[in-house]
Amino acid sequence: DGYFEQVVRQCRYSSKDLQGIEYIDSYVFNQAEYIRFNSTVGKFVGYTEHGVKNAEAWNSDAGILAQELGELERYCKHNADLHYSA
């Protein structure tokens, strides 16, 4: 019973080259992803009516986009050595 909300943040490493890293920030409600930020695309993409509205608002805010793109450096690239050594 009830509702389930989750945020999934992941780094995808396609090669040891730091240019091949992709940061993805997904928002899920009741097992349905409704919005996603992808560093390769460089913006939010909505998958539901609610997600599309959020994507439009978040993409128009340069601060939010800069923060998301900063996660690629801060989170993914910073931890790349740990990923490759595991």
Side-chain angles (χ1 to χ4, degrees), residues 6-75:
Q6 76 181 62
V7 177
V8 179
R9 294 182 174 105
Q10 58 184 310
C11 301
R12 293 186 180 169
Y13 301 92
S14 60
S15 69
K16 289 193 175 189
D17 177 10
L18 292 181
Q19 300 304 317
I21 299 173
E22 180 178 44
Y23 173 70
I24 297 174
D25 188 6
S26 300
Y27 294 78
V28 179
F29 182 74
N30 284 350
Q31 299 181 358
E33 182 178 25
Y34 63 93
I35 190 169
R36 172 188 291 187
F37 176 84
N38 182 314
S39 64
T40 303
V41 176
K43 66 178 185 176
F44 288 93
V45 176
Y47 299 108
T48 65
E49 183 179 345
H50 178 68
V52 169
K53 287 180 182 179
N54 282 342
E56 290 172 359
W58 295 353
N59 287 332
S60 67
D61 187 327
I64 292 175
L65 288 178
Q67 180 179 347
E68 289 291 319
L69 287 169
E71 293 299 301
L72 179 67
E73 290 289 330
R74 186 193 69 79
Y75 182 66

